Amino acid sequence: MLDLAYTRSMKPLVWMGDSLTVLREFPRAVKEEMGYALYLAQVGDKHPCAKPLKGLGSGVFEVISDFRGDTYRAVYTVKLAGRVYVLHAFQKKSKKGIATPKAEMDLVNQRLKRAEELHFEKED
């Protein structure tokens, strides 16, 4: 049963680009873990596997989920008041290191800028 105190104060999710479409293609266990992490972000909490994404300032997090030898990631921000913006979801293909690949970071940066534009347009 949902706690009504949470449902009243849940921030809406805003999906940037193809992040929702991509996340829907992840294995079921990964979708459940990431969905729960996003739910926690909506109610002002943080999932244990949500870590700050370096280089983007505070309020941008990456959820990492490993499943059968593959790594899946979702990036979201809570730094824009009243909403949780899901910036990107992807399967990490590179086996070299744990760093987020540059092409993925470029897309996250691009979508973060667009989220900020959308956010401040809605406030006007």
Side-chain angles (χ1 to χ4, degrees):
M1 178 182 241
L2 283 177
D3 182 348
L4 292 179
Y6 274 147
T7 58
R8 285 192 204 110
S9 63
M10 278 182 64
K11 297 175 186 175
L13 286 177
V14 179
W15 299 90
M16 301 300 295
D18 65 352
S19 56
L20 177 58
T21 302
V22 172
L23 193 136
R24 284 182 171 157
E25 298 298 317
F26 289 172
R28 181 183 207 153
V30 173
K31 287 190 285 192
E32 289 174 357
E33 183 173 33
M34 290 188 173
Y36 184 58
L38 291 171
Y39 164 77
L40 289 175
Q42 286 180 277
V43 297
D45 207 349
K46 187 173 82 59
H47 193 278
C49 52
K51 308 290 184 212
L53 187 58
K54 291 183 169 93
L56 295 177
S58 65
V60 179
F61 296 91
E62 181 175 49
V63 179
I64 301 170
S65 183
D66 293 317
F67 181 77
R68 295 188 178 168
D70 293 321
T71 300
Y72 299 85
R73 296 181 180 199
V75 179
Y76 67 91
T77 185
V78 295
K79 71 181 187 176
L80 302 168
R83 295 179 187 89
V84 176
Y85 288 85
V86 183
L87 303 173
H88 191 28
F90 62 100
Q91 180 180 355
K92 186 173 181 286
K93 303 284 187 182
S94 172
K95 302 297 180 192
K96 297 178 185 174
I98 61 171
T100 303
K102 183 183 181 328
E104 306 295 354
M105 284 301 296
D106 290 345
L107 188 55
V108 167
N109 276 308
Q110 179 184 28
R111 289 182 178 172
L112 178 59
K113 286 177 185 161
R114 181 65 185 132
E116 290 169 344
E117 290 169 3
L118 286 172
H119 185 76
F120 294 114
E121 284 174 11
K122 288 180 180 181
E123 286 188 348
D124 291 342

